Amino acid sequence: MAPRRTLAFLLGCRDGVFSEDLERFQGTFTLCIAFCVVGIVLSAIAFIADRAFWGIFALEVPFFSSCIIGRLYAAFCADQRQAVVSFGRVWLLATLAGCGSFVLLNKYHHFCEDVSLMPACCLALLTALVPTYLKFMGVQLGIRILSCASVWLAYHLS
């Protein structure tokens, strides 16, 4: 039974959603959409500032778009506790796909090289805001840990 509880902790479960997390999730719909739009805008600004940033831009737009779609889906779920878990899982899947693609493309195709300071700072700003954003959204701890760990690992493997 312990492996099952560990998996529920890491991937989230309906019963593990606390009431304060649920209230946060329900009250931050606009914040979620705004954060994702800011992410797309920052990526676009960084891309315009330095064309070498095209690789990150190509990954960021689908990432934030999938998060917006996941949040819209969660808003229409009848069971809002399950919606919190579903949104967290969509975020985690998008993060794992984005980080995995970034590492593979950067390792084998030199996807993102010679990027200037400004786009790198935009990406660092987005990355630094993620743990706080996920906490505000009410996403469960295990999903937040896996998401942040995958970003950290992607930076180190690239």
Side-chain angles (χ1 to χ4, degrees), residues 84-100:
V84 173
V85 175
S86 296
F87 174 73
R89 289 177 181 168
V90 166
W91 180 279
L92 181 60
L93 286 174
T95 301
L96 291 173
C99 289

Side-chain angles (χ1 to χ4, degrees), residues 25-26 29 33 68-84 86-87:
F25 183 76
Q26 291 172 333
F29 176 79
I33 303 301
I68 289 172
I69 291 167
R71 187 59 176 98
L72 290 172
Y73 167 77
F76 294 108
C77 284
D79 182 1
Q80 285 296 291
R81 288 190 184 278
Q82 185 60 42
V84 173
S86 296
F87 174 73

Side-chain angles (χ1 to χ4, degrees), residues 85-132:
V85 175
S86 296
F87 174 73
R89 289 177 181 168
V90 166
W91 180 279
L92 181 60
L93 286 174
T95 301
L96 291 173
C99 289
S101 299
F102 177 74
V103 170
L104 291 174
L105 290 169
N106 210 25
K107 282 280 193 195
Y108 298 110
H109 298 290
H110 308 290
F111 191 55
C112 195
E113 289 183 344
D114 301 323
V115 175
S116 64
L117 184 61
M118 193 269 205
C121 289
C122 287
L123 184 62
L125 176 65
L126 283 173
T127 305
L129 292 175
V130 167
T132 304

Side-chain angles (χ1 to χ4, degrees), residues 39-73:
I40 291 171
V41 169
L42 274 176
S43 295
I45 290 169
F47 174 64
I48 291 168
D50 186 356
R51 297 288 183 208
F53 196 74
W54 75 269
I56 299 297
F57 179 74
L59 291 174
E60 290 287 329
V61 172
F63 170 79
F64 283 117
S65 298
S66 66
C67 291
I68 289 172
I69 291 167
R71 187 59 176 98
L72 290 172
Y73 167 77

